[in-house]
Amino acid sequence: MTAISLEFYPPKNDEQRAQLDRTVRRLAPRAPQFVSVTFGAGGSTLSYTPETVRSLRQDHGLDAAPHLSCMGGTRAELRELLQLYRALGCRRIVALRGDLPSGMARMGEFRYASDLVAFIREEHGDHFRIEVGCYPETHPQAEDALADLRHFKAKVDAGADSAITQYFFNADAYFRFVDDVRAAGVGIPVIPGIMPISNFSQLRRFSEACGAEIPRWMAKRMQAYGDDAESIREFAADAVAAMCRRLLEGGAPELHFYTLNLAKPTEAVLSRLG
Ligand code: FAD
């Protein structure tokens, strides 16, 4: 069976909590290696991730790992969160720089994810397995692809154990990226982040923001389906599953699914993978 992990975002109200609960019940039988919970910088959102991690671990018995981003956070806040996660039994952290929500001015004490990785190692030694993000199609703020690669290597040198990619729909970008990081002397696993598609206009918005390319042939096809959501889902599940097959055949160690707290789109891809 393909090794998978699942990513959720932390619910903020009862309706979202019930939805996540349903999604987790449907996807848990797929036996994910771990599940992760995203993190939004600053203010009241600070408590949502720990609460969701706690619930996934204690109510659902899953190995839940928090995302932790350093942008906008102080050293003391990050220290406190790390202690909390350790007390909850977490052994894995997804360490990120994060993005500042619009309107939020506070910069935080760390500038890049590599600073956060170093801080986690300084404070907790080898207690946590540290995952970092990486970008087969290049991070949108990078000076260029080679600079981005050097910055990725800096996170590994600071102590990252494994990396999860931004989502992409072009397997060649992943294979090329893995070749490049190996040539740069980086040996850690590079896990493809997979985005199952449920809504084309939402996907287009996300992709513009994070610099992921939707290939023209896929975009044109989904556009042609217009409001026919069922046809979009079927087409997208076929296309994403075909890419996953190629990735696995080409040596991808496992797959990480961005579920957006929905079960169906991820299930549609997984059932095609058998
Ligand atoms: P970094 O590795 O710090 O890189 C950010 C940019 O800075 C890149 O362009 C890089 O090339 C550049 N850079 C790095 N070091 C240097 C340096 N020394 N000098 C000059 N430039 C440098 N966001 C959230 O807010 N919450 C989440 O939960 C979340 N989860 C994610 C999970 C995954 C798997 C991924 C891939 C992304 C996730 N993101 C999340 C988005 C992420 O926070 C953004 O993509 C963010 O813009 C970059 O984060 P990073 O950790 O990759 O940053």
Side-chain angles (χ1 to χ4, degrees):
M1 203 160 70
T2 309
I4 60 163
S5 53
L6 304 171
E7 182 171 311
F8 302 116
Y9 65 84
K12 297 183 176 60
N13 56 44
D14 286 345
E15 195 185 324
Q16 290 183 1
R17 264 178 222 111
Q19 187 193 3
L20 178 60
D21 201 57
R22 283 194 301 276
T23 295
V24 169
R25 281 179 206 288
R26 279 181 58 174
L27 292 177
R30 301 281 181 176
Q33 312 265 305
F34 70 94
V35 298
S36 74
V37 183
T38 61
F39 181 75
S44 61
T45 62
L46 222 54
S47 64
Y48 292 130
T49 303
E51 176 46 34
T52 307
V53 166
R54 189 207 58 74
S55 161
L56 290 168
R57 296 183 73 84
Q58 293 174 5
D59 306 336
H60 294 276
L62 290 166
D63 180 8
H67 293 207
L68 185 61
S69 65
C70 55
M71 191 164 249
T74 64
R75 197 172 264 266
E77 278 166 357
L78 294 167
R79 178 174 289 129
E80 205 175 306
L81 279 170
L82 287 167
Q83 277 160 359
L84 176 59
Y85 292 133
R86 193 165 174 157
L88 285 173
C90 300
R91 299 298 304 257
R92 184 190 303 259
I93 301 267
V94 184
L96 303 145
R97 184 197 70 176
D99 292 309
L100 272 190
S102 53
M104 193 171 152
R106 197 167 67 143
M107 270 307 286
E109 288 179 61
F110 297 112
R111 187 133 184 227
Y112 298 113
S114 52
D115 303 326
L116 177 61
V117 173
F119 179 69
I120 298 172
R121 285 283 174 248
E122 234 171 77
E123 297 267 310
H124 291 276
D126 286 336
H127 181 81
F128 294 109
R129 180 179 175 86
I130 303 180
E131 311 272 345
V132 289
C134 62
Y135 302 83
E137 295 182 321
T138 305
H139 186 268
Q141 289 157 9
E143 305 96 287
D144 59 54
L146 297 180
D148 206 29
L149 200 65
R150 282 197 301 279
H151 299 144
F152 171 59
K153 186 173 185 306
K155 294 195 274 199
V156 179
D157 293 343
D161 295 299
S162 180
I164 302 173
T165 74
Q166 180 58 277
Y167 69 85
F168 54 84
F169 298 106
N170 180 355
D172 290 318
Y174 170 81
F175 292 128
R176 183 68 211 210
F177 180 76
V178 174
D179 286 349
D180 287 348
V181 301
R182 298 293 177 248
V186 171
I188 66 168
V190 178
I191 300 165
I194 305 297
M195 178 66 90
I197 302 171
S198 59
N199 176 323
F200 178 49
S201 43
Q202 182 194 46
L203 178 74
R204 211 162 32 184
R205 267 201 322 278
F206 281 178
S207 303
E208 268 162 26
C210 71
E213 186 177 69
I214 309 174
R216 184 179 161 85
W217 69 274
M218 284 180 69
K220 285 284 177 194
R221 192 64 182 264
M222 288 188 279
Q223 249 164 13
Y225 289 129
D227 294 334
D228 180 357
E230 190 50 37
S231 295
I232 293 179
R233 277 198 291 271
E234 284 289 304
F235 163 76
D238 285 344
V240 173
M243 182 184 74
C244 290
R245 245 177 258 119
R246 251 197 91 196
L247 293 170
L248 293 166
E249 284 161 13
E254 57 190 90
L255 302 173
H256 178 80
F257 284 88
Y258 294 107
T259 70
L260 305 181
N261 292 11
L262 300 171
K264 254 191 181 173
T266 296
E267 269 181 338
V269 175
L270 286 174
S271 61
R272 281 163 173 78
L273 291 179

